[in-house]
Amino acid sequence: MKFVTCPSLGKRALSEFTYGGRYEQEPAQETVSEKEWADYVFYHNGAPKVQIEWWYHRPTGIWFLFERDTLTDRINKVDFARKGMTHEA
Amino acid sequence: MPLRLLKYAWKKPEDEPRFFPSEKPLKEAYDVVIIGGGGHGMACAYYLAKEHGITNVAVLEQGYIGGGNTGRNTTIVRSNYLTAEGVKFYDESLSLFEDLSDDFDLNIFYSTRGHFTLAHTDSAMRTMRWRAEVNKHYGIDSEVVDVETIQKEVPYMDMTCNGQHPVMGALYHAPGSVARHDAVAWGYARGAQMRGVEIHQKTKVMDIKTKGGKVVGVETDRGFVEAKKVISAVAGSTPRITEMLDIKTPIEIFPLQACVTEPVKPFMDTIVVSGSLHVYVSQSSRGELVMGASVDPAELHSTRSTLDFVEGLTDQMMDLFPFTSRMKIMRQWAGMADITPDFAPIMGKTDIEGFYLDAGWGTWGFKATPVSGKTMAYTVANDRPHELIKPFALSRYEDFKLVGEKGAASVGH
């Protein structure tokens, strides 16, 4: 089983978390064009990389941000979603 | 029976020619380069040569023939999808599959089993009725059946699922089949090679070169090869190829795992799928239970397997077939599924002239092998998309014309 160390919670099984997709800056709703919106929703470079992702801890209902490598599945950093990234995993 | 088998009986072993002749060095230029030597790439090469007379073709494969998702799926072929686009497309594929053994003069072990998609809830039953009606409208043999019918066909199944999720009915698709996946790739590969196509294994494409928005060739780890047309048929490696051309797609890679048990006596001649339990199972001609579940929870470019998967799957399997608790798992593996947001493929031309995409095959790629090869070959030869694949263009997302294929396997809806 895979474990991840989170602030406050300590070492938790990854199976307690639900993946919430990539973290991306949403374009401004007022000024966004249809093309920009389609790009934001659908089109991206899906090649292996280190990316920031939403992860939901079901038992406590807390959203976290993980910095994870999609090639090796290694989680580099973890923090509360509302704080940004500071802690090492 | 293929004639080949009869001929073989009268031959000495040394008279039998090699299945694939030994490889030649790469030429300097080809008319068409196909990246990816799996079922789809080989089928495309085969139909290019057979139906369009284009034989100056090279198939470049970084590993070995059919070593990717072609050899990693659970070999199920069916056409009871939910959208008009999906149903028409997969039905064409199914009818092509039925003739492949004769077409190749090679036994692909195509075995029609009948395919049950179980429903455990009222809402699942409603979806099954909907699917059955869409299917019937397009002339596909598909119907909703009751619990007694299922129990008669699959007597060893616990219809109450250990009392937890009683089966209420199922969508039954009589033409649902299994086929030997390796043989499909080998058959297409040999057929293509006999018509002049070159297959180069252990040849990795490092870059695709363009000039003025047109493809001019590919850089491989064995040197540069000129080509006017390049097709990418690499499933889980698609984002690595599209990155070379800076093409953005909605494809995300999720591992899809599967496993087989030790072989046992034949007891199940149908294919059983449960969307709610995330299980699909069939018994192979060797007697093994071939089982799959849903895709892994997060994006990952890897073919690693996990214990979590086997634990989850066997838990559900034992609800359906309690006696499997005594069986051993023999092997498990994973493939990289290239999932799209609307569970339909991305096929056809791109913004780069001469670059064609056959991707987004997610969990529904094997059953589409023949028809994808045929329609891609048409698209490449005529430089315009085949009628059947028009709805699957890459631009459909920015046009907000998604396909919404909810009949796809192994993905939650």
Side-chain angles (χ1 to χ4, degrees):
Chain A
M1 191 172 283
K2 208 174 164 69
F3 291 94
V4 55
T5 307
C6 295
S8 303
L9 303 177
K11 194 174 163 189
R12 311 301 309 180
L14 192 69
S15 56
E16 292 179 7
F17 293 82
T18 300
Y19 176 62
R22 270 186 321 279
Y23 174 83
E24 265 177 288
Q25 205 64 48
E26 196 179 299
Q29 296 277 345
E30 308 299 320
T31 53
V32 68
S33 69
E34 278 198 0
K35 173 87 180 94
E36 282 165 353
W37 186 251
D39 281 348
Y40 163 68
V41 177
F42 295 116
Y43 296 96
H44 56 93
N45 174 359
K49 60 180 169 296
V50 175
Q51 64 184 22
I52 297 176
E53 298 166 343
W54 295 98
W55 284 82
Y56 179 67
H57 187 244
R58 291 188 306 274
T60 58
I62 301 173
W63 279 100
F64 288 91
L65 289 177
F66 290 6
E67 187 189 289
R68 191 175 66 102
D69 189 330
T70 59
L71 187 64
T72 61
D73 206 14
R74 188 179 292 270
I75 297 164
N76 302 326
K77 283 180 185 172
V78 178
D79 211 337
F80 297 117
R82 57 187 166 80
K83 272 197 184 163
M85 307 291 295
T86 46
H87 290 260
E88 297 294 318
Chain B
M1 184 179 70
L3 201 59
R4 200 180 130 72
L5 197 61
L6 198 66
K7 281 192 248 165
Y8 186 73
W10 303 102
K11 269 187 180 170
K12 292 191 196 112
E14 58 269 27
D15 292 340
E16 185 66 4
R18 279 175 62 108
F19 196 85
F20 294 117
S22 39
E23 287 186 15
K24 297 179 203 159
L26 276 174
K27 284 199 288 193
E28 277 179 17
Y30 296 92
D31 293 338
V32 178
V33 162
I34 299 172
I35 310 172
H40 283 229
M42 292 305 184
C44 182
Y46 175 82
Y47 291 113
L48 271 176
K50 190 175 175 222
E51 296 192 345
H52 305 282
I54 300 171
T55 55
N56 187 19
V57 176
V59 181
L60 308 181
E61 164 57 48
Q62 65 170 344
Y64 57 94
I65 294 172
N69 291 359
T70 299
R72 293 165 192 268
N73 56 68
T74 48
T75 78
I76 298 167
V77 179
R78 63 185 172 91
S79 65
N80 57 347
Y81 276 74
L82 186 54
T83 59
E85 297 88 343
V87 170
K88 279 191 265 184
F89 185 73
Y90 291 102
D91 195 46
E92 171 72 20
S93 205
L94 214 146
S95 58
L96 284 168
F97 256 117
E98 284 165 0
D99 301 330
L100 278 191
S101 280
D102 284 340
D103 209 9
F104 295 161
D105 198 13
L106 171 77
N107 193 353
I108 64 159
F109 293 85
Y110 188 83
S111 161
T112 303
R113 298 291 186 87
H115 182 284
F116 288 99
T117 313
L118 305 179
H120 306 263
T121 59
D122 282 332
S123 66
M125 277 305 285
R126 200 158 53 231
T127 310
M128 298 311 161
R129 283 192 208 101
W130 178 16
R131 271 170 77 172
E133 290 311 314
V134 173
N135 293 164
K136 280 186 225 166
H137 182 72
Y138 290 101
I140 310 258
D141 187 352
S142 178
E143 58 181 332
V144 174
V145 292
D146 61 9
V147 177
E148 288 71 36
T149 313
I150 308 168
Q151 187 73 88
K152 206 174 137 233
E153 288 293 319
V154 200
Y156 293 94
M157 191 160 71
D158 178 356
M159 301 301 284
T160 70
C161 286
N162 201 18
Q164 298 191 37
H165 339 264
V167 175
M168 299 174 72
L171 182 68
Y172 180 63
H173 180 47
S177 307
V178 291
R180 172 120 197 250
H181 46 207
D182 304 306
V184 173
W186 297 337
Y188 274 124
R190 193 178 57 167
Q193 207 162 36
M194 277 160 48
R195 290 169 173 84
V197 170
E198 286 181 21
I199 297 164
H200 296 280
Q201 303 183 71
K202 289 184 279 181
T203 307
K204 187 174 181 177
V205 171
M206 315 300 284
D207 201 5
I208 301 169
K209 300 285 181 203
T210 57
K211 209 172 194 174
K214 280 185 191 173
V215 167
V216 292
V218 294
E219 193 68 60
T220 75
D221 55 0
R222 291 168 62 189
F224 180 75
V225 178
E226 246 180 75
K228 287 185 269 318
K229 291 179 176 181
V230 173
I231 304 154
S232 167
V234 297
S237 301
T238 301
R240 302 181 205 205
I241 297 289
T242 49
E243 191 184 31
M244 295 170 185
L245 293 167
D246 206 20
I247 293 175
K248 295 200 162 38
T249 71
I251 292 170
E252 285 184 347
I253 307 300
F254 288 82
L256 179 61
Q257 303 192 46
C259 59
V260 294
T261 65
E262 58 188 324
V264 292
K265 277 188 184 173
F267 69 95
M268 187 172 71
D269 58 0
T270 53
I271 305 162
V272 175
V273 179
S274 166
S276 320
L277 298 182
H278 299 295
V279 179
Y280 44 96
V281 57
S282 66
Q283 191 172 20
S284 76
S285 43
R286 273 196 296 250
E288 304 155 329
L289 290 184
V290 183
M291 304 180 291
S294 47
V295 293
D296 278 18
E299 197 181 340
L300 184 65
H301 299 258
S302 168
T303 52
R304 61 99 181 87
S305 356
T306 64
L307 182 62
D308 289 8
F309 158 76
V310 180
E311 278 181 338
L313 175 77
T314 48
D315 183 22
Q316 311 281 30
M317 264 305 284
M318 281 188 279
D319 281 353
L320 271 180
F321 297 99
F323 69 91
T324 54
S325 65
R326 298 197 299 275
M327 291 171 79
K328 291 184 176 69
I329 300 284
M330 291 271 282
R331 297 188 300 281
Q332 70 170 116
W333 65 91
M336 291 189 285
D338 40 341
I339 308 271
T340 56
D342 55 353
F343 308 108
I346 295 173
M347 298 178 78
K349 297 172 70 170
T350 62
D351 287 343
I352 313 264
E353 201 181 320
F355 181 71
Y356 303 83
L357 209 49
D358 175 42
W361 285 106
T363 64
W364 45 91
F366 174 66
K367 59 181 75 65
T369 304
V371 71
S372 96
K374 203 167 180 161
T375 51
M376 282 306 292
Y378 177 95
T379 305
V380 171
N382 298 301
D383 201 34
R384 65 166 186 272
H386 188 281
E387 203 58 43
L388 276 175
I389 67 166
K390 273 185 184 161
F392 303 138
L394 176 59
S395 60
R396 70 174 180 270
Y397 300 96
E398 61 187 290
D399 302 335
F400 301 103
K401 282 184 186 156
L402 274 65
V403 178
E405 185 48 81
K406 293 191 178 67
S410 319
V411 277
H413 302 293

